[in-house]
Amino acid sequence: MAGNDLSTPLGLSKKKYLNLPLGLIGAGMITLLGLTVLVWIGVVDDPLGGEPTASIPLERSLDGLTARDFGVVEIRPTLPDQSEDSDQVAAAEDESLGPRFEPKSIDNQDSAPATDRAMPSLASGQGLSERPDARVSESGPHGKLPTVSEGGLRPLDIYARPVGQSFASVPKIAIIVGGLGLSQTSTQAAIDRLPPDITLAFAPYGSSIDRWMQQARRAGHELLLQLPMEPFDYPDNDPGPHTLLVSNAPGEMQDRLSWLLSRISNYVGVMNYMGARFTASENSLKQLLGEVTRRGLMYVDDGSSSRSVAGATANGLRTPYSHADLVIDDVPRPKDITARLLQLEGTARARGIAVGVASALPVTIDELERWSRDLEERGLQLIPISASIDRAGQ
């Protein structure tokens, strides 16, 4: 046998085995497995192989899906024609926001008691109140004047813009843009383009000042009224009609002040326009700030005069007071305005709060709009001027 095997040609064998190709064997096994699976499905009738299942019956009414159907929840805004109960609920929710706001487009709004008005929130996209609140206004010789209500509410309380979420560690900046109401183009640009937290100060002149006031409040801006005061070079440099002068007798001062304060409404306080000589006179300031305090307003010194004694006088009379740290556009060029804004940021980071004033010049509005876009990303917060009152020792 061994000899025969050795003499057999290489690759041949004399033994007879079943020698089928491996590919043919594999194909047969796969075919057999597939037939087995098909037979199982056909006989057992359970394609999922015994996995647990659940059936949910859906019922439909003639009007559409019932409570047992699956649906999409849709959130819809409140419509004017909703039921009376819905209106009462909405009004109750709005009234919880406090007395700063009043509704728009409400018939006979002026005659309605202020406490009975619904008060929208800024978050709803509506602005601040546009009409004077009867609780904090009274008739004067030249028109409506601000006053403190019988319950102690001040115009400063009623017309102030609420401050958003704030943290003590976040540096805060208040910006006042003045000279509004004199130029239609500049006034409209300031109202439309500047952030609502920037305070707008109106001059007491102009034929459409009340309309501009309403637009500014609708856009959410807090307002100041600028009072023309005597500069050192008066009358060569004349701020305008009814300028408050150091030489005014008490009666004349009171009459001029009544005319100025009645020019617009819904403002939180007053700010000097010029007035280097007037703000350096303690006696004149005492009469002015005494009236400002009595009428529930705040006073803002624009920081234009180093001789001003407004801070000390306001402290003695307990007048709500704030002052500007710098004038932003004393040099009205883009690069200079940018430099002043950076300086204001540094003051805010060092002291916690800073106030800047500016005029409604086109270049100023352009630079303020650009500067304010990423202010929060730089760790700063814009606030209305009423939120800067508590600056002890500054």
Side-chain angles (χ1 to χ4, degrees), residues 114-190:
T115 54
D116 296 335
R117 298 173 185 168
M119 299 172 183
S121 106
L122 291 176
S124 67
Q126 292 177 309
L128 303 173
S129 59
E130 305 168 31
R131 305 287 182 86
D133 193 310
R135 294 172 295 177
V136 291
S137 63
E138 66 178 5
S139 297
H142 304 287
K144 293 291 185 180
L145 290 171
T147 189
V148 178
S149 73
E150 294 181 358
L153 281 174
R154 304 170 298 177
L156 176 59
D157 304 317
I158 298 294
Y159 301 132
R161 174 180 170 83
V163 181
Q165 185 177 11
S166 179
F167 300 94
S169 60
V170 178
K172 299 170 180 60
I173 296 178
I175 301 288
I176 303 169
V177 174
L180 276 296
L182 300 177
S183 166
Q184 178 175 344
T185 302
S186 297
T187 303
Q188 192 70 65

Coordinates of all heavy atoms in Angstrom, one line a residue, residues 114-190:
A114 N -57.4 105.5 36.8 CA -56.1 104.8 36.5 C -56.0 103.5 37.2 O -55.4 102.6 36.6 CB -54.9 105.7 37.0
T115 N -56.6 103.3 38.3 CA -56.5 102.0 39.0 C -57.3 100.9 38.4 O -57.1 99.8 38.6 CB -57.0 102.2 40.5 OG1 -58.3 102.8 40.5 CG2 -56.1 103.1 41.3
D116 N -58.2 101.3 37.4 CA -59.1 100.3 36.8 C -58.5 99.9 35.4 O -59.1 99.1 34.7 CB -60.5 100.9 36.6 CG -61.2 101.1 37.9 OD1 -60.8 100.5 38.9 OD2 -62.1 102.0 37.9
R117 N -57.4 100.4 35.0 CA -56.9 100.2 33.7 C -56.0 98.9 33.7 O -55.3 98.6 34.6 CB -56.0 101.3 33.2 CG -56.8 102.6 33.1 CD -55.8 103.7 32.7 NE -56.5 105.0 32.7 CZ -55.9 106.2 32.7 NH1 -54.6 106.2 32.7 NH2 -56.6 107.3 32.6
A118 N -56.1 98.1 32.6 CA -55.2 97.0 32.4 C -53.9 97.6 32.1 O -53.7 98.6 31.4 CB -55.7 96.1 31.3
M119 N -52.8 96.9 32.5 CA -51.5 97.4 32.3 C -50.6 96.4 31.6 O -50.2 95.4 32.2 CB -50.9 97.8 33.7 CG -51.7 98.9 34.3 SD -51.2 99.2 36.0 CE -52.4 100.4 36.5
P120 N -50.2 96.6 30.3 CA -49.5 95.6 29.6 C -48.0 95.6 30.1 O -47.5 96.5 30.6 CB -49.6 96.0 28.2 CG -49.8 97.5 28.3 CD -50.6 97.7 29.5
S121 N -47.3 94.5 29.8 CA -45.9 94.4 30.1 C -45.1 94.6 29.0 O -45.5 94.5 27.8 CB -45.7 93.0 30.7 OG -45.0 92.2 29.8
L122 N -43.8 95.0 29.2 CA -42.9 95.3 28.1 C -42.6 94.0 27.4 O -42.3 94.0 26.2 CB -41.6 95.8 28.7 CG -41.7 97.3 29.3 CD1 -40.3 97.7 29.9 CD2 -42.0 98.3 28.2
A123 N -42.6 92.9 28.1 CA -42.3 91.6 27.4 C -43.3 91.3 26.3 O -43.1 90.5 25.4 CB -42.3 90.5 28.5
S124 N -44.5 91.8 26.4 CA -45.5 91.5 25.4 C -45.3 92.3 24.1 O -46.1 92.2 23.2 CB -46.9 91.9 26.0 OG -47.1 93.3 26.2
G125 N -44.3 93.2 24.1 CA -44.0 94.0 22.9 C -44.6 95.3 22.9 O -44.5 96.1 22.0
Q126 N -45.4 95.7 24.0 CA -46.0 97.0 24.1 C -45.1 97.9 24.9 O -44.2 97.4 25.7 CB -47.3 96.9 24.8 CG -48.4 96.1 23.9 CD -49.7 96.0 24.6 OE1 -49.7 95.5 25.8 NE2 -50.8 96.4 24.0
G127 N -45.2 99.2 24.7 CA -44.3 100.2 25.3 C -44.9 100.7 26.6 O -45.8 100.1 27.2
L128 N -44.3 101.8 27.1 CA -44.7 102.4 28.3 C -46.0 103.3 28.1 O -46.3 103.5 26.9 CB -43.6 103.3 28.9 CG -42.3 102.5 29.1 CD1 -41.2 103.5 29.5 CD2 -42.4 101.5 30.2
S129 N -46.6 103.7 29.2 CA -47.8 104.5 29.0 C -47.6 105.8 28.2 O -46.5 106.4 28.4 CB -48.3 104.9 30.4 OG -47.4 105.6 31.1
E130 N -48.5 106.1 27.4 CA -48.4 107.3 26.5 C -49.3 108.5 27.0 O -49.1 109.6 26.5 CB -48.9 106.9 25.1 CG -48.1 105.8 24.5 CD -48.8 105.3 23.2 OE1 -49.4 106.1 22.5 OE2 -48.7 104.1 23.0
R131 N -50.2 108.2 27.9 CA -51.1 109.3 28.4 C -50.8 109.6 29.8 O -50.4 108.7 30.6 CB -52.6 108.8 28.3 CG -53.0 108.3 26.9 CD -53.2 109.5 25.9 NE -53.6 109.1 24.6 CZ -54.9 108.9 24.3 NH1 -55.8 109.1 25.2 NH2 -55.2 108.5 23.1
P132 N -50.9 110.8 30.2 CA -50.7 111.2 31.6 C -51.6 110.5 32.6 O -52.8 110.3 32.3 CB -50.9 112.7 31.7 CG -51.7 113.0 30.5 CD -51.4 112.0 29.4
D133 N -51.0 110.0 33.7 CA -51.8 109.3 34.7 C -52.5 110.3 35.6 O -51.8 111.2 36.1 CB -50.9 108.4 35.5 CG -51.7 107.4 36.4 OD1 -52.6 107.9 37.1 OD2 -51.4 106.2 36.3
A134 N -53.8 110.3 35.7 CA -54.6 111.3 36.4 C -54.2 111.3 37.9 O -54.3 112.4 38.6 CB -56.1 111.0 36.3
R135 N -53.6 110.3 38.4 CA -53.2 110.2 39.8 C -52.0 111.2 40.1 O -51.9 111.6 41.3 CB -52.9 108.8 40.3 CG -54.0 107.8 40.3 CD -53.6 106.4 40.5 NE -52.7 106.0 39.4 CZ -52.1 104.8 39.5 NH1 -52.2 104.0 40.5 NH2 -51.3 104.4 38.4
V136 N -51.2 111.4 39.1 CA -50.0 112.1 39.3 C -49.9 113.3 38.4 O -48.8 113.7 38.0 CB -48.7 111.2 39.2 CG1 -48.6 110.2 40.3 CG2 -48.7 110.5 37.8
S137 N -51.0 113.9 38.1 CA -51.1 115.2 37.3 C -52.1 116.1 37.9 O -53.1 115.6 38.4 CB -51.3 114.9 35.9 OG -52.6 114.3 35.7
E138 N -51.9 117.4 37.7 CA -52.9 118.4 38.1 C -52.8 119.6 37.2 O -51.9 119.7 36.4 CB -52.5 118.9 39.5 CG -51.2 119.6 39.6 CD -50.9 120.1 41.0 OE1 -51.7 119.8 42.0 OE2 -49.9 120.8 41.2
S139 N -53.9 120.4 37.2 CA -54.0 121.5 36.3 C -53.1 122.6 36.8 O -53.1 122.9 38.0 CB -55.4 122.0 36.2 OG -56.2 121.0 35.6
G140 N -52.4 123.3 35.9 CA -51.6 124.5 36.3 C -51.9 125.6 35.4 O -52.8 125.6 34.5
P141 N -51.3 126.8 35.6 CA -51.6 128.0 34.8 C -51.3 127.8 33.3 O -51.9 128.5 32.5 CB -50.7 129.0 35.4 CG -49.6 128.3 36.1 CD -50.2 127.0 36.5
H142 N -50.5 126.9 32.9 CA -50.1 126.7 31.5 C -50.4 125.3 31.0 O -50.1 125.0 29.8 CB -48.6 127.0 31.3 CG -48.2 128.4 31.8 ND1 -48.6 129.5 31.1 CD2 -47.5 128.8 32.9 CE1 -48.1 130.6 31.8 NE2 -47.5 130.1 32.8
G143 N -51.1 124.5 31.8 CA -51.4 123.1 31.3 C -51.2 122.1 32.5 O -51.1 122.5 33.7
K144 N -51.2 120.9 32.2 CA -51.1 119.8 33.2 C -49.6 119.8 33.8 O -48.6 119.9 33.0 CB -51.4 118.4 32.6 CG -52.8 118.2 32.2 CD -53.7 118.2 33.4 CE -55.2 117.8 33.0 NZ -56.0 117.7 34.2
L145 N -49.6 119.6 35.1 CA -48.3 119.6 35.8 C -48.2 118.3 36.5 O -49.2 117.7 37.0 CB -48.2 120.8 36.8 CG -48.0 122.2 36.2 CD1 -48.2 123.2 37.3 CD2 -46.7 122.3 35.5
P146 N -47.0 117.7 36.7 CA -46.8 116.5 37.5 C -46.9 116.8 38.9 O -46.6 118.0 39.4 CB -45.3 116.1 37.1 CG -44.7 117.4 36.7 CD -45.7 118.2 36.0
T147 N -47.4 115.9 39.7 CA -47.6 116.1 41.1 C -47.5 114.7 41.8 O -47.7 113.7 41.2 CB -48.9 116.8 41.5 OG1 -48.9 117.1 42.8 CG2 -50.1 115.9 41.1
V148 N -47.4 114.7 43.1 CA -47.5 113.5 43.9 C -48.9 113.2 44.3 O -49.7 114.1 44.6 CB -46.6 113.6 45.2 CG1 -46.7 112.4 46.1 CG2 -45.2 114.0 44.9
S149 N -49.3 111.9 44.1 CA -50.7 111.5 44.4 C -51.0 111.6 45.9 O -50.1 111.6 46.7 CB -51.0 110.1 43.8 OG -50.4 109.1 44.7
E150 N -52.3 111.5 46.2 CA -52.7 111.4 47.6 C -52.1 110.3 48.3 O -51.9 110.3 49.5 CB -54.2 111.4 47.7 CG -54.9 112.7 47.2 CD -56.4 112.6 47.3 OE1 -56.9 111.6 47.7 OE2 -57.1 113.6 46.9
G151 N -51.9 109.2 47.6 CA -51.3 108.0 48.2 C -49.8 108.0 48.2 O -49.2 107.0 48.7
G152 N -49.2 109.0 47.8 CA -47.7 109.1 47.8 C -47.0 108.6 46.6 O -45.8 108.6 46.6
L153 N -47.7 108.3 45.5 CA -47.1 107.9 44.3 C -46.5 109.1 43.6 O -47.2 110.2 43.5 CB -48.1 107.2 43.4 CG -48.5 105.7 43.7 CD1 -49.6 105.2 42.8 CD2 -47.2 104.9 43.5
R154 N -45.4 109.0 43.0 CA -44.7 110.1 42.3 C -44.7 109.8 40.8 O -44.7 108.6 40.4 CB -43.3 110.2 42.8 CG -43.1 110.5 44.3 CD -41.6 110.4 44.7 NE -41.1 109.0 44.4 CZ -39.8 108.7 44.6 NH1 -39.0 109.6 45.1 NH2 -39.4 107.5 44.4
P155 N -44.6 110.8 40.0 CA -44.4 110.5 38.6 C -43.1 109.7 38.3 O -43.1 108.9 37.4 CB -44.3 112.0 38.0 CG -45.1 112.8 38.9 CD -44.9 112.2 40.3
L156 N -42.1 109.9 39.2 CA -40.9 109.1 39.1 C -41.2 107.6 39.2 O -40.6 106.8 38.6 CB -39.9 109.6 40.1 CG -38.6 108.8 40.3 CD1 -37.8 108.8 39.0 CD2 -37.8 109.3 41.4
D157 N -42.2 107.3 40.1 CA -42.6 105.9 40.3 C -43.4 105.4 39.1 O -43.2 104.2 38.7 CB -43.4 105.7 41.6 CG -42.6 106.3 42.8 OD1 -41.4 106.0 42.9 OD2 -43.2 107.0 43.6
I158 N -44.3 106.2 38.7 CA -45.3 105.8 37.7 C -44.7 105.6 36.3 O -44.9 104.7 35.6 CB -46.5 106.7 37.6 CG1 -47.2 106.8 38.9 CG2 -47.4 106.4 36.5 CD1 -47.9 105.5 39.3
Y159 N -43.8 106.6 35.9 CA -43.3 106.6 34.5 C -42.0 106.0 34.3 O -41.4 106.0 33.2 CB -43.3 108.1 34.0 CG -44.7 108.7 34.1 CD1 -44.8 110.0 34.7 CD2 -45.8 108.1 33.6 CE1 -46.1 110.6 34.7 CE2 -47.1 108.7 33.6 CZ -47.2 110.0 34.2 OH -48.4 110.6 34.2
A160 N -41.3 105.5 35.4 CA -40.0 104.9 35.2 C -40.1 103.6 34.4 O -41.0 102.9 34.5 CB -39.4 104.6 36.6
R161 N -39.1 103.4 33.6 CA -39.0 102.1 32.9 C -38.4 101.0 33.8 O -37.4 101.2 34.5 CB -38.0 102.3 31.7 CG -37.8 101.0 31.0 CD -36.8 101.2 29.8 NE -36.4 99.9 29.3 CZ -37.2 99.1 28.4 NH1 -38.3 99.6 28.0 NH2 -36.7 98.0 28.0
P162 N -39.1 99.9 33.9 CA -38.6 98.8 34.7 C -37.2 98.3 34.2 O -37.0 98.3 33.0 CB -39.7 97.7 34.6 CG -40.9 98.4 34.1 CD -40.4 99.6 33.3
V163 N -36.4 98.0 35.2 CA -35.1 97.4 34.8 C -35.2 95.9 34.7 O -35.9 95.3 35.5 CB -34.0 97.8 35.9 CG1 -32.7 97.2 35.5 CG2 -34.0 99.3 36.1
G164 N -34.6 95.4 33.6 CA -34.6 93.9 33.4 C -33.8 93.2 34.5 O -33.3 93.8 35.5
Q165 N -33.7 91.9 34.4 CA -32.9 91.1 35.4 C -31.5 91.7 35.5 O -30.8 91.9 34.6 CB -32.8 89.6 34.9 CG -32.2 88.7 36.0 CD -32.2 87.3 35.6 OE1 -32.5 87.0 34.4 NE2 -31.9 86.4 36.5
S166 N -31.2 91.9 36.8 CA -29.9 92.6 37.0 C -29.2 91.9 38.2 O -29.8 91.4 39.1 CB -30.2 94.1 37.4 OG -29.0 94.8 37.7
F167 N -27.9 92.0 38.1 CA -27.0 91.4 39.1 C -26.1 92.5 39.6 O -25.6 93.3 38.8 CB -26.2 90.2 38.6 CG -27.1 89.1 38.1 CD1 -27.4 89.0 36.8 CD2 -27.6 88.2 39.0 CE1 -28.2 88.0 36.3 CE2 -28.4 87.1 38.6 CZ -28.7 87.0 37.2
A168 N -25.8 92.6 40.9 CA -25.0 93.7 41.5 C -23.6 93.7 40.9 O -22.9 94.7 40.8 CB -25.0 93.5 43.0
S169 N -23.1 92.5 40.5 CA -21.7 92.4 40.0 C -21.6 92.9 38.6 O -20.5 93.0 38.1 CB -21.2 91.0 40.1 OG -22.1 90.1 39.3
V170 N -22.7 93.1 37.9 CA -22.6 93.5 36.5 C -22.5 95.0 36.4 O -23.4 95.7 36.9 CB -23.9 93.0 35.7 CG1 -23.9 93.5 34.3 CG2 -24.0 91.5 35.7
P171 N -21.5 95.6 35.8 CA -21.4 97.0 35.6 C -22.5 97.6 34.8 O -22.9 97.0 33.8 CB -20.0 97.2 34.9 CG -19.3 96.0 35.1 CD -20.3 94.9 35.2
K172 N -23.0 98.7 35.2 CA -24.2 99.3 34.5 C -23.9 100.7 33.9 O -23.2 101.4 34.5 CB -25.4 99.4 35.5 CG -25.8 98.0 36.1 CD -26.8 98.1 37.2 CE -27.1 96.7 37.7 NZ -26.0 95.9 38.2
I173 N -24.6 100.9 32.8 CA -24.4 102.2 32.1 C -25.7 102.8 31.8 O -26.6 102.1 31.2 CB -23.5 102.0 30.8 CG1 -22.1 101.6 31.2 CG2 -23.5 103.3 30.0 CD1 -21.3 101.3 30.0
A174 N -25.9 104.1 32.1 CA -27.1 104.8 31.7 C -26.7 105.9 30.7 O -25.7 106.6 30.9 CB -27.8 105.5 32.9
I175 N -27.4 105.9 29.6 CA -27.1 106.9 28.5 C -28.4 107.8 28.3 O -29.5 107.3 28.3 CB -26.9 106.2 27.2 CG1 -25.7 105.2 27.3 CG2 -26.6 107.2 26.0 CD1 -24.3 105.9 27.4
I176 N -28.1 109.1 28.3 CA -29.2 110.1 28.0 C -28.9 110.8 26.7 O -27.8 111.3 26.5 CB -29.3 111.1 29.1 CG1 -29.5 110.5 30.5 CG2 -30.4 112.1 28.8 CD1 -29.3 111.5 31.6
V177 N -29.8 110.7 25.8 CA -29.7 111.5 24.5 C -30.6 112.6 24.5 O -31.8 112.4 24.6 CB -30.0 110.5 23.3 CG1 -30.0 111.3 22.0 CG2 -28.9 109.4 23.2
G178 N -30.1 113.9 24.5 CA -30.9 115.0 24.6 C -31.1 115.8 23.3 O -30.7 115.4 22.3
G179 N -31.9 116.9 23.4 CA -32.2 117.7 22.3 C -33.3 117.1 21.4 O -33.5 117.6 20.3
L180 N -34.1 116.2 21.9 CA -35.2 115.6 21.2 C -36.3 116.6 21.0 O -36.6 117.4 21.9 CB -35.7 114.3 21.8 CG -35.0 113.0 21.6 CD1 -35.0 112.6 20.1 CD2 -33.5 113.1 22.0
G181 N -37.1 116.5 19.9 CA -38.2 117.3 19.6 C -37.9 118.5 18.8 O -38.9 119.2 18.4
L182 N -36.6 118.8 18.5 CA -36.3 120.0 17.8 C -36.1 119.6 16.3 O -36.5 120.4 15.4 CB -35.0 120.6 18.3 CG -35.0 121.1 19.8 CD1 -33.7 121.6 20.2 CD2 -36.1 122.1 19.9
S183 N -35.5 118.5 16.0 CA -35.4 118.1 14.6 C -36.2 116.8 14.4 O -36.0 115.8 15.1 CB -33.9 117.8 14.3 OG -33.7 117.0 13.1
Q184 N -37.0 116.8 13.4 CA -37.9 115.6 13.1 C -37.0 114.4 12.7 O -37.3 113.3 13.2 CB -38.8 115.9 12.0 CG -39.7 114.8 11.6 CD -40.8 115.1 10.5 OE1 -41.0 116.3 10.3 NE2 -41.3 114.1 9.9
T185 N -36.0 114.6 11.9 CA -35.2 113.5 11.5 C -34.4 112.9 12.6 O -34.4 111.6 12.8 CB -34.2 113.9 10.4 OG1 -34.9 114.5 9.3 CG2 -33.3 112.8 9.9
S186 N -33.8 113.7 13.4 CA -33.0 113.2 14.5 C -33.9 112.6 15.6 O -33.5 111.5 16.2 CB -32.2 114.3 15.1 OG -31.2 114.8 14.2
T187 N -35.0 113.2 15.9 CA -35.9 112.6 16.9 C -36.5 111.3 16.5 O -36.5 110.3 17.3 CB -37.1 113.6 17.1 OG1 -36.6 114.9 17.5 CG2 -38.0 113.1 18.2
Q188 N -36.9 111.1 15.2 CA -37.4 109.9 14.7 C -36.3 108.8 14.7 O -36.5 107.6 15.1 CB -37.9 110.0 13.3 CG -38.7 108.8 12.8 CD -40.1 108.7 13.5 OE1 -40.9 109.5 13.4 NE2 -40.2 107.6 14.3
A189 N -35.1 109.2 14.3 CA -34.0 108.2 14.3 C -33.7 107.7 15.7 O -33.4 106.5 16.0 CB -32.7 108.8 13.7
A190 N -33.6 108.6 16.7 CA -33.3 108.2 18.1 C -34.4 107.3 18.7 O -34.1 106.3 19.3 CB -33.2 109.5 19.0

